[in-house]
Amino acid sequence: MAIQHAVLSFLADGPSYGYEIKTNFEKAVGPQWGGLNIGHVYQILERLSRDGLVTSRTVSQDVRPDRTVYKITAAGRRELDGWLAEPTTRTAGYRDDFILKVLAAGRRSEEQVHEVCRTQREARMAELQTLRALRRQHKDEPLAALTIEAAILGVQADLKLIEVADANAARPLLAASPAERATKPAEGRRAAGQ
C-alpha cells in the first residue's frame, strides 16, 4: 500500500508522531493530492506497528495529552527499500466513470454521446486551467509541482479519451451477441422476400 510506504519514508528520517507525519506529507505533496485523514494515519501506524515495521513509545507532555512517537525498525527499512525497488503497477483493470457514461449515452443515441463528451470536455478544460494556475503557484516546491504535473497529464489523457469517444460516437458500443448475429441473416432474408 503506497500510503503505508510513504509513512515509512517519513519515519526513515527519524522518529515522529502521527500529526507531524500528516503535516509533513501534506506539505510535501501539495494541494493537488488532498488532505490526509489523521485517523487514517493512525490506522496505518497501528498496522505498521502490528507488522513489526515500526515501534512506538509514549512521551509525556506537560500541557497536552501524551504523544505516541513512532520509529522505523530494520524490517521497516527493508520493506521500504523493497517497495522502492519495485515498479508501480495497477492491480486491476482500468475503471473510469466517464466510460460508464459513454456506455449509458451510447445506449440512447449518438447525439447523447456527443453531449456527454461536450460536458466532460468543458469540465476537464476548466480543471486544466485551475491546475496550470496551481503549477505556477507551486513551481518552487518540487514534489507538489510533480503531483500537479501528474494531474495535468492525467487531464490531458482524459481530453484525448474524450476526443476518441466523441469521434466514435456513431459506432455501436457493444458487439452483437451470438443470438443477435444468428437472427440478423434470417431477418435480412425475410426482408429480401426469401
Side-chain angles (χ1 to χ4, degrees):
M1 175 177 15
I3 293 291
Q4 164 182 309
H5 291 93
V7 168
L8 283 173
S9 75
F10 282 102
L11 292 172
D13 292 339
S16 189
Y17 54 96
Y19 189 76
E20 184 176 49
I21 293 168
K22 173 189 175 354
T23 301
N24 289 339
F25 175 88
E26 289 174 348
K27 183 179 177 188
V29 297
Q32 186 56 37
W33 186 276
L36 191 57
N37 181 298
I38 190 64
H40 188 216
V41 172
Y42 282 111
Q43 286 176 341
I44 290 168
L45 288 166
E46 286 174 24
R47 189 176 315 120
L48 291 171
S49 183
R50 183 190 67 225
D51 294 345
L53 303 177
V54 301
T55 58
S56 64
R57 65 183 172 88
T58 303
V59 176
S60 298
Q61 299 187 100
D62 293 332
V63 181
R64 296 184 174 161
D66 293 348
R67 174 182 290 164
T68 303
V69 176
Y70 296 86
K71 181 179 178 184
I72 194 168
T73 63
R77 288 186 188 281
R78 285 191 302 275
E79 174 68 25
L80 180 58
D81 290 343
W83 178 72
L84 289 170
E86 296 173 357
T88 299
T89 57
R90 290 189 175 88
T91 57
Y94 181 80
R95 293 183 179 191
D96 188 300
D97 287 352
F98 175 69
I99 299 294
L100 299 179
K101 284 191 177 195
V102 170
L103 167 70
R107 294 178 60 77
R108 286 189 173 177
S109 69
E110 176 183 343
E111 185 50 45
Q112 186 74 56
V113 174
H114 290 304
E115 184 61 26
V116 164
C117 289
R118 184 193 61 74
T119 300
Q120 194 72 6
R121 185 180 299 108
E122 288 174 3
R124 289 296 176 259
M125 291 302 291
E127 185 178 356
L128 195 55
Q129 278 186 307
T130 301
L131 288 168
R132 287 177 174 155
L134 277 173
R135 179 171 56 188
R136 287 188 296 276
Q137 290 172 8
H138 296 275
K139 67 179 187 239
D140 296 327
E141 301 166 44
L143 190 57
L146 182 63
T147 305
I148 293 165
E149 195 62 35
I152 288 171
L153 293 171
V155 170
Q156 289 171 338
D158 287 349
L159 286 167
K160 181 65 178 168
L161 177 62
I162 293 164
E163 179 184 317
V164 170
D166 204 23
N168 289 291
R171 294 180 65 193
L173 295 174
L174 302 173
S177 70
E180 290 171 323
R181 285 192 298 268
T183 60
K184 293 281 185 202
E187 289 172 358
R189 285 193 301 273
R190 278 195 298 271
Q194 295 179 351

